[in-house]
Amino acid sequence: MVDGTAFDETDLRGRGFTGFKAFGDLDLSTVPREPGVYSVLRSTNSAHEVFDTSVGGWFKGKDPTDDPAKLKGRLWDAPTIYIGKADAGTSGTRGLRKRIGEFAKFGQGLPVGHWGGRYIWQLSNSRELRIAWLPVTDRSAKVVEDELLEEFFVAYGQLPFANLRR
């Protein structure tokens, strides 16, 4: 395991990530429209507990809540707790703004299709979690996401809290 600085704000800024906005303060008009990757980081001033019930939206009738004991076993002190991607989509109109918007709406309890990262919304103070993004235009956002997840796994020996597969 590393010293805890891999995938913290300083590290991500060094990689070119910007934003670092709390979900409660997020202005989607500041999020780029390009494809890219994003990272959700712990809030800087509070601990996060696991709720018994998720505040996330029910999409296609599925409850996003998972067993709190299982989630507590996954919750640890890594600064980044989720890494996601935003591809351009077949029409080229998707991207970071659209995907991050969907993610935030899911966290507001709306029935939006953003099942990945759903554990985020079972944490207390989820509105204080910070999101950062990195536009990727020279290659696939999926490739960059895969590289980041692999690097995270090598550094910490496991995936970020809300990533369920790499």
Side-chain angles (χ1 to χ4, degrees):
M1 184 176 285
V2 296
D3 65 5
T5 60
F7 291 90
D8 69 1
E9 183 172 339
T10 301
D11 177 44
L12 292 176
R13 283 188 188 279
R15 297 167 187 259
F17 279 78
T18 59
F20 299 94
K21 300 291 183 187
F23 278 101
D25 299 328
L26 182 62
D27 176 357
L28 285 173
S29 71
T30 65
V31 180
R33 294 182 186 272
E34 292 86 8
V37 292
Y38 55 98
S39 178
V40 177
L41 294 93
R42 295 176 162 281
S43 60
T44 56
N45 56 0
S46 65
H48 296 283
E49 300 297 325
V50 176
F51 284 147
D52 289 338
T53 304
S54 175
V55 299
W58 285 48
F59 184 67
K60 295 186 177 180
K62 289 177 66 176
D63 182 352
T65 301
D66 207 331
D67 177 14
K70 174 182 168 184
L71 271 60
K72 287 175 186 171
R74 294 181 59 87
L75 188 59
W76 45 289
D77 291 333
T80 287
I81 59 175
Y82 181 67
I83 296 171
K85 70 173 178 346
D87 285 316
T90 55
S91 65
T93 59
R94 293 194 56 77
L96 287 164
R97 185 178 298 178
K98 179 96 170 149
R99 192 65 177 152
I100 289 172
E102 291 168 348
F103 191 41
K105 287 176 184 173
F106 185 87
Q108 293 167 357
L110 299 173
V112 178
H114 199 301
W115 199 248
R118 68 187 175 277
Y119 289 177
I120 293 294
W121 308 116
Q122 204 165 329
L123 293 177
S124 64
N125 305 322
S126 58
R127 305 281 294 154
E128 295 175 15
L129 294 171
R130 296 170 299 134
I131 188 161
W133 49 83
L134 174 67
V136 176
T137 56
D138 61 339
R139 56 197 172 128
S140 161
K142 172 72 172 130
V143 168
V144 177
E145 178 196 39
D146 289 346
E147 291 171 357
L148 290 170
L149 288 172
E150 183 61 29
E151 185 179 338
F152 189 100
F153 190 85
V154 168
Y156 287 100
Q158 60 191 36
L159 292 173
F161 164 73
N163 286 94
L164 303 180
R165 58 191 160 129
R166 57 179 184 166

